[in-house]
Amino acid sequence: MELTRRQILIGAAAASLPLLLAGCGFAPPATTSGGGATGSGGSGATGTLTFTTWGTDAELAGFKSAIDRFQQANAGATVSLNSVPYGQMFTNIDAQLQAGNPPDIFRVPYYTFGSYAGRDQLLDLSSYLPAGFSDAFTPAAWAAVQNRKTPYGVPHHTDTSVILYNRAALETAGITSIPTTLDDAWSWDEFGSVLQKLRGSLPADKYPYAANWQGNGVTRWLSWLFESDGAFLNDDLVTPAIDSDAGRKAVDYTKNFFSSNFVPQNNSVKSTTLASDIWYAQTSAMVSAGAFLVPDATSTLDFEWGATFSPRNVRSAGDFGGNALVATKATANPELASAFLQFVTQEEEMRQFCAGASLLPTRADLTASGIDFAVRPELSPVFVGQASSVQAKDSGQVTSPSMSKIITVLQDQLEQAFVGGQSTSDTLAAMTSGIAAATAGS
C-alpha cells in the first residue's frame, strides 16, 4: 500500500479488491501541551498529538492498537487518529501545511517523503532520537528517511514485489522447478525462458505475466534497472545516471515483454487496469505484487497460487515500497511526537503491525529473524528475503526531493518505449533530459 504500490490500489480502481478504508473526515489538529518525553516507552510523556493516515482495515487496526499501548504506557499522553481515503490524503496535508495547521504526525510513502523534507516542512529528528537509534534499521530503510544526511522521519514498514504465480498454469507449461531462495532466483535469461514456455502453452487471450508498474507504481520499474546494477541518479542525487549500459539493458528487457506478447497491451505504465486485476481474472499466469495483496488474494482467489522471488541479473534487487511516519515541523510538542515515533518502531510493535497487515519490517533484527504473516505465513520468507536485496543506494535515490517530477518523466518515457514505438536510445536520452530538468535547483 505500499503505494507507490498502494496509491493506485486504494484509488478509483480499488473497487476490484476488498480494501475498506475507515473514515473520511479531516479534523484540524488539537491543541498540544508541553511534555517531557525522553524515551519511547513509559517515559511520562504528556500532551496530545494528531496523527493522520490512510490504510486498509488491518493497518488501521494496527495503528489503533499501537496508540492504545502508547497511551497506556504514557498516562498523560493522547494520540488522536484521523483516517482518510488515500485519494484525499496529500491534497489535504498540503493544504493544511500551507495554512499552518497540519497534523503533528502523518504517514507518507517513501517516494513522496523527499518532497516534504526538501521543503523544510518536517521535524528534524536529530536532537530528539537517542544515540544509536539508526542502528536498529536496515541501511536501505534508514537511507529512505534522510534528507542531506539528516533524519526527518522513521521507516515504519516497507513492501517489495515478488512473483505470484498460478500453480496450474505453470505446471501445464512444464515449469515445475520454482526458486525457493533468493540466491536461486531465476536469472533474466531463465525468466525469459519461463515466459516463452508459458506463451507457448497459453491461449492467445491469456498472457504469461503482468507487471505492477501502473501510475506512481512506475517506481517499481526501477527494480529492473537496479538488478542490472544501474542507477537513475548519481550520488549527488541531482545528476542523471540512467543513460548507461544498465539502463539500456533494463529498457530493452522490459520492452520485450510487449513485443513478445508476454504481457497484454493494457499492462502499460499509464494503463488504468491494475496488474493485480489482470492476474485475479486469470488473464495472466504470473504477476509482480507486494505482500499487501496476500490477505485479499487468499480470501478471493479460487485457484492455487504461490510466490517466488523476482528475477535477478547482475544482482537481485527490489522496489522499496512502504511508508515512513513523520512529524511536522509545526508540531507544538516535538518531544511527544518523537516518543511516539520511537514507540511504534520498537521491535514488538513493528512485528505486530507488519504481521497483521502483511507488510515488511524495516528493523534489521526483524529482517534477520523474519516475521510470520497472519495470513499465508509460509510466504513471509519470500517477501522478507526479497526486501533484503534492496540496497541503501537504491532507496536513497527513490526518496530524492525531486522524485515526484522524476516519476512523471519515467511514466511518459516508458509508456512511449513500451507501446509507442520509441527506441531505447531515444527513451534514455529523453529520460536523461527530463531527470535533469526535474532536479534543477536541488
Side-chain angles (χ1 to χ4, degrees):
M1 304 245 273
E2 64 187 66
L3 264 234
T4 41
R5 53 194 179 57
R6 192 171 301 268
Q7 174 178 6
I8 308 168
L9 185 61
I10 302 182
S16 61
L17 295 176
L19 295 180
L20 304 178
L21 299 179
C24 60
F26 211 97
T31 303
T32 58
S33 60
T38 57
S40 57
S43 60
T46 61
T48 298
L49 296 173
T50 53
F51 173 24
T52 298
T53 185
W54 76 95
T56 63
D57 285 349
E59 289 175 323
L60 295 176
F63 282 128
K64 290 174 183 176
S65 295
I67 288 170
D68 287 344
R69 288 187 291 271
F70 179 74
Q71 292 176 158
Q72 290 169 9
N74 300 276
T78 300
V79 181
S80 177
L81 181 67
N82 184 32
S83 61
V84 299
Y86 188 89
Q88 298 177 14
M89 176 75 183
F90 295 104
T91 300
N92 284 285
I93 288 289
D94 291 346
Q96 288 187 305
L97 284 166
Q98 185 173 3
N101 64 340
D104 297 289
I105 294 169
F106 67 94
R107 187 188 197 196
V108 60
Y110 295 112
Y111 64 81
T112 306
F113 162 86
S115 61
Y116 290 103
R119 292 195 296 263
D120 196 30
Q121 294 173 320
L122 305 182
L123 179 67
D124 176 353
L125 295 172
S126 300
S127 60
Y128 299 102
L129 299 176
F133 180 78
S134 63
D135 296 341
F137 303 95
T138 65
W142 191 245
V145 293
Q146 306 295 302
N147 183 262
R148 293 179 171 86
K149 301 183 179 180
T150 298
Y152 285 92
V154 295
H156 186 230
H157 67 86
T158 185
D159 197 4
T160 198
S161 299
V162 304
I163 300 290
L164 305 185
Y165 59 89
N166 183 319
R167 191 177 299 278
L170 267 63
E171 289 178 351
T172 299
I175 303 163
T176 56
S177 180
I178 310 295
T180 57
T181 69
L182 186 64
D183 289 341
D184 292 333
W186 287 316
S187 67
W188 279 14
D189 286 344
E190 290 168 334
F191 188 59
S193 296
V194 168
L195 296 174
Q196 287 282 10
K197 290 179 181 179
L198 284 166
R199 182 66 282 165
S201 69
L202 292 168
D205 61 345
K206 306 293 183 182
Y207 298 86
Y209 175 60
N212 58 343
W213 47 37
Q214 289 71 43
N216 285 346
V218 70
T219 56
R220 298 190 186 106
W221 175 84
L222 295 169
S223 296
W224 302 95
L225 177 67
F226 298 151
E227 285 163 11
S228 293
D229 208 24
F232 63 97
L233 291 173
N234 283 319
D235 291 343
D236 60 8
L237 298 184
V238 174
T239 309
I242 199 162
D243 196 350
S244 63
D245 183 58
R248 284 185 287 278
K249 289 178 180 178
V251 173
D252 281 342
Y253 191 80
T254 50
K255 278 177 64 177
N256 185 56
F257 293 160
F258 292 88
S259 60
S260 296
N261 209 28
F262 292 154
V263 300
Q265 291 297 300
N266 68 347
N267 189 220
S268 65
V269 170
K270 292 190 175 183
S271 175
T272 58
T273 301
L274 299 178
S276 56
D277 292 337
I278 294 171
W279 187 64
Y280 274 38
Q282 300 189 52
T283 303
S284 70
M286 299 186 296
V287 65
S288 287
F292 70 97
L293 277 180
V294 169
D296 298 300
T298 301
S299 64
T300 60
L301 296 183
D302 59 359
F303 58 88
E304 187 178 354
W305 59 278
T308 189
F309 300 90
S310 295
R312 56 180 172 80
N313 192 22
V314 176
R315 64 176 176 94
S316 292
D319 57 287
F320 192 77
N323 303 285
L325 297 180
V326 298
T328 54
K329 188 176 182 179
T331 179
N333 199 334
E335 293 87 358
L336 181 60
S338 174
F340 181 72
L341 296 180
Q342 292 176 59
F343 181 85
V344 296
T345 51
Q346 290 179 342
E347 180 181 3
E348 187 54 31
E349 290 297 324
M350 187 177 292
R351 184 193 304 277
Q352 290 189 43
F353 184 88
C354 290
S358 293
L359 294 168
L360 303 176
T362 54
R363 289 182 60 99
D365 48 8
L366 292 178
T367 299
S369 63
I371 64 166
D372 289 331
F373 294 157
V375 178
R376 295 290 300 266
E378 77 279 6
L379 301 183
S380 304
V382 179
F383 287 96
V384 173
Q386 192 68 58
S388 72
S389 70
V390 178
Q391 298 185 9
K393 65 180 181 179
D394 305 337
S395 61
Q397 293 177 71
V398 175
T399 57
S400 159
S402 306
M403 197 63 210
S404 61
K405 296 179 181 178
I406 293 173
I407 282 174
T408 300
V409 174
L410 295 175
Q411 289 172 335
D412 291 344
Q413 300 311 318
L414 288 174
E415 186 77 1
Q416 287 300 311
F418 292 163
V419 296
Q422 182 170 265
S423 69
T424 295
S425 60
D426 287 347
T427 298
L428 294 172
M431 283 183 175
T432 297
S433 60
I435 292 172
T439 60
S442 296

